[in-house]
Amino acid sequence: MKKNLIALSCVAAFATTSFSSDVNTEMFKQIQALKAQIEALEKKVAAQETVQVQKVEPAVTTVDEKRIEKIEKKLETVSKTATAAKVQSANDNLKWDVDFRTQVDNIQYKHADGSKSENNALLTNRLWLGAKYKADDNSSFFSKLSYNKAFGDTANHSQSNTNPGYANFDWVTNENATDNTIKVKEAYWLYTKERLFGANIPWAASVGRRPSTDGLPINIRNDQQPNSPLSHTVDVEFDGFSVRFDTENLTGFTGSWFKICGGRGLTNAKPRFDMSGTAYAEDNTKNVDIDMLGFIAVPYDNGQYSVHMNYAKAWNLIGFDQDSLDRFNGAYTAYNPAYGGTMDATTAYNLQMATPQFNDVGDMDFATVLFKTEGIGNGISDYLDSTIAFASFAASKTNPNNKGMLGSQDSETGTSVWLGVNAPCPILPDSAKIGFEWNKGSKYWRSMTYGEDTYAGSKIATRGQAWEVYRTQKITNALSFGVSYVLMQYDYTGSNSFFGADGTPMTMVEAQNAGQNPVKEAQDVRAYMRYRF
């Protein structure tokens, strides 16, 4: 009997532990009551056994066997119900996480003619709601919903960034402050296996809206885990697939892996109700599909030193041809009083009609090689052990069609260098980090980094030099604080444009001679509070 009571006590304790916060309170109370009854019976039996030892003649132990049987049956029923409730509440529901950031940006632009544009205090709220679910050992689901909005309403509803041109473009829809709607940033499933056709090669496959922003190394200054791919060439929201192979057992190189990635950045299809009766058929009057295919490879990663490589090719990229830009610039000059124009209805209509449309301008190749160390040296000092440093080199190469790319009919190659260091802050080294980064881009450098989370433009795309210094600090387990200063100095125009004539690199003098007044220098000073759990 004593063994049975102890066993029942263990079952009750296990059930109580399994409940945690997953089972309803009423069931929890029932098990606690049953456990108390069992403990009382155990004490009664133990007391009677003690009396038996002390007395010459054994005392008669009276235990209500039927009552114990009833308790056993009830406990078994409640235990089964608890297990079922645990499965439903813990294993069959999405696991949510929250990343909420409130930020203020001081944005300053200096134009080629010396004039300035600025916003001394752009206040924004950004919310990420992450959801994940693991149905079994091999399959998982991940998603991220996003909200990004400036404080309050706008001075004019046309400033709300809901239909401004390209701020709501699908490549960047979650990196721009728009309205208070929730949008899908990521949504994909992941399938993993330990062996590939019997070989000792772990592999994984995934399809959906990709985690293709905030990759290495931009994630370091963003104070978060890296996504895929490398952000030096590709930092943009994307829909597609990936297949990854862990190749360490195959190659013998520590931590090596290889991933094939692909996707579609623009779909050519007629709308559902356009009166043509050919819903979702290709529309030959519009741009053809934009596709991208490439690979990410890590030939070596021992936890401290690692090498990362990325190559991608994109087909049928979009841009404006020079004729349409000339028509638009002429209409804009006639419309803008700053150039002696008039703001009457006729010029406004002409400007609207002259608005350039995207064209397929050609293909492009992107390549990146990055070296990273998490800890400098081996045991030199605690400070160096906690320091991260990286050096990244990237190149882009255009393959234009007859409309030309980046203002040229020839294939043009651009290059970029990106150096960075992230180290403990001398003040509060256990909870704060400081960082410094430097970028240098050549005349024809062209990255696919429209999703970079910098309101003054992508520093990675800079044709010229970009500098950033930042500090992040953990206040509590969930709350953190950050400040940063970004300065972008442009040697050529077109850094944040698309791939046609709008991306033509010109010096500031050349641009002014062509009647333009481009941004020569941009800076963004920002501070934020961030809550994550």
Side-chain angles (χ1 to χ4, degrees):
M1 176 56 68
K2 186 176 180 181
K3 292 183 178 179
N4 290 338
L5 292 174
I6 294 173
L8 286 172
S9 181
C10 292
V11 170
F14 175 76
T16 304
T17 304
S18 300
F19 271 82
S20 98
S21 59
D22 297 324
V23 184
N24 61 67
T25 305
E26 185 61 31
M27 293 176 62
F28 180 79
K29 290 180 178 178
Q30 292 182 30
I31 288 186
Q32 291 287 56
L34 291 172
K35 183 180 177 182
Q37 293 178 31
I38 292 171
E39 289 175 349
L41 288 172
E42 286 180 319
K43 291 179 180 178
K44 186 175 181 180
V45 172
Q48 291 173 342
E49 288 179 346
T50 302
V51 172
Q52 288 176 353
V53 171
Q54 293 175 348
K55 293 182 178 181
V56 178
E57 295 183 0
V60 178
T61 302
T62 57
V63 178
D64 192 341
E65 297 287 348
K66 290 185 178 181
R67 186 184 178 195
I68 293 179
E69 289 179 4
K70 289 181 180 180
I71 293 175
E72 288 177 341
K73 290 180 180 180
K74 190 173 182 179
L75 182 58
E76 183 179 359
T77 301
V78 174
S79 180
K80 290 180 179 178
T81 305
T83 302
K86 181 185 176 184
V87 169
Q88 182 175 2
S89 62
N91 297 336
D92 288 348
N93 285 339
L94 291 173
K95 302 294 185 182
W96 289 92
D97 60 79
V98 170
D99 186 336
F100 180 68
R101 185 189 72 188
T102 298
Q103 180 170 299
V104 56
D105 289 72
N106 180 291
I107 300 172
Q108 306 285 331
Y109 299 100
K110 183 184 294 185
H111 296 271
D113 66 354
S115 61
K116 296 182 179 180
S117 302
E118 63 183 13
N119 189 334
N120 290 325
L122 174 65
L123 294 166
T124 55
N125 282 323
R126 188 200 69 185
L127 172 65
W128 287 348
L129 293 175
K132 55 188 176 182
Y133 172 64
K134 187 171 184 178
D136 51 56
D137 292 338
N138 300 109
S139 60
S140 303
F141 170 77
F142 301 87
S143 68
K144 185 175 290 184
L145 304 180
S146 176
Y147 156 96
N148 196 348
K149 181 183 178 294
F151 275 36
D153 203 350
T154 52
N156 184 306
H157 286 291
S158 66
Q159 295 175 302
S160 64
N161 272 344
T162 53
N163 191 23
Y166 308 109
N168 63 342
F169 203 73
D170 196 51
W171 297 356
V172 293
T173 186
N174 291 290
E175 282 69 43
N176 293 295
T178 55
D179 58 9
N180 59 3
T181 57
I182 296 289
K183 306 175 182 69
V184 176
K185 180 174 174 64
E186 298 172 7
Y188 60 96
W189 55 259
L190 176 68
Y191 179 79
T192 61
K193 289 285 287 185
E194 290 298 318
R195 304 185 71 85
L196 177 66
F197 302 120
N200 189 17
I201 302 176
W203 66 283
S206 177
V207 176
R209 187 153 180 81
R210 309 300 302 147
S212 52
T213 61
D214 301 305
L216 189 69
I218 199 67
N219 70 292
I220 298 174
R221 65 97 146 149
N222 286 346
D223 188 24
Q224 59 195 48
Q225 292 299 311
N227 281 334
S228 170
L230 300 183
S231 59
H232 201 162
T233 49
V234 179
D235 191 312
V236 64
E237 295 184 55
F238 218 72
D239 303 284
F241 73 93
S242 70
V243 182
R244 168 175 163 155
F245 307 93
D246 291 346
T247 57
E248 180 175 352
N249 296 326
L250 181 66
T251 64
F253 296 124
T254 302
S256 65
W257 56 269
F258 180 85
K259 180 190 288 187
I260 300 172
C261 303
R264 177 153 291 174
L266 184 147
T267 296
N268 179 299
K270 291 183 178 181
R272 179 67 180 274
F273 299 109
D274 69 343
M275 306 304 291
S276 70
T278 57
Y280 299 114
E282 291 184 354
D283 187 345
N284 294 328
T285 66
K286 305 294 183 182
N287 297 103
V288 297
D289 297 337
I290 295 178
D291 293 322
M292 179 179 283
L293 183 66
F295 69 84
I296 305 168
V298 176
Y300 182 80
D301 184 355
N302 70 350
Q304 180 179 8
Y305 301 107
S306 59
V307 180
H308 307 255
M309 298 185 296
N310 190 182
Y311 168 79
K313 185 177 183 66
W315 290 268
N316 310 317
L317 290 170
I318 52 177
F320 305 130
D321 61 78
Q322 190 61 53
D323 291 340
S324 65
L325 281 180
D326 290 341
R327 289 193 299 272
F328 176 78
N329 289 332
Y332 180 77
T333 301
Y335 174 81
N336 194 331
Y339 295 98
T342 58
M343 300 179 66
D344 56 61
T346 300
T347 53
Y349 175 79
N350 290 338
L351 178 64
Q352 181 180 2
M353 291 297 99
T355 301
Q357 302 296 317
F358 280 134
N359 294 286
D360 169 16
V361 295
D363 311 330
M364 182 167 283
D365 297 280
F366 305 92
T368 309
V369 178
L370 180 142
F371 302 90
K372 179 171 69 76
T373 176
E374 296 196 25
I376 298 176
N378 185 13
I380 300 174
S381 69
D382 292 340
Y383 189 87
L384 291 178
D385 286 345
S386 301
T387 297
I388 299 172
F390 67 85
S392 180
F393 176 81
S396 62
K397 184 176 183 296
T398 61
N399 302 285
N401 58 24
N402 57 7
K403 294 186 180 296
M405 296 185 75
L406 307 183
S408 174
Q409 295 290 333
D410 300 323
S411 177
E412 304 287 358
T413 299
T415 58
S416 174
V417 176
W418 187 359
L419 305 177
V421 61
N422 176 283
C425 181
I427 303 174
L428 302 174
D430 294 333
S431 60
K433 291 272 194 172
I434 55 172
F436 174 79
E437 295 184 6
W438 174 76
N439 298 71
K440 174 69 173 179
S442 69
K443 179 178 181 178
Y444 282 100
W445 165 241
R446 171 76 280 159
S447 60
M448 181 79 79
T449 55
Y450 303 101
E452 184 189 338
D453 187 21
T454 307
Y455 288 136
S458 170
K459 72 165 188 175
I460 303 171
T462 301
R463 293 168 174 168
Q465 294 188 89
W467 310 81
E468 180 171 13
V469 58
Y470 62 87
R471 182 182 186 273
T472 60
Q473 180 179 341
K474 190 173 183 179
I475 301 174
T476 68
N477 287 334
L479 193 63
S480 61
F481 170 74
V483 292
S484 74
Y485 171 75
V486 179
L487 174 65
M488 292 167 280
Q489 300 172 315
Y490 300 105
D491 295 333
Y492 300 92
T493 61
S495 292
N496 288 290
S497 298
F498 289 99
F499 302 92
D502 46 312
T504 302
M506 292 186 288
T507 64
M508 299 299 120
V509 174
E510 291 172 338
Q512 286 182 288
N513 292 338
Q516 301 177 24
N517 188 25
V519 173
K520 180 180 180 181
E521 183 178 289
Q523 69 176 30
D524 185 355
V525 182
R526 68 173 180 169
Y528 66 84
M529 295 293 292
R530 191 173 180 183
Y531 192 88
R532 287 177 284 185
F533 69 89

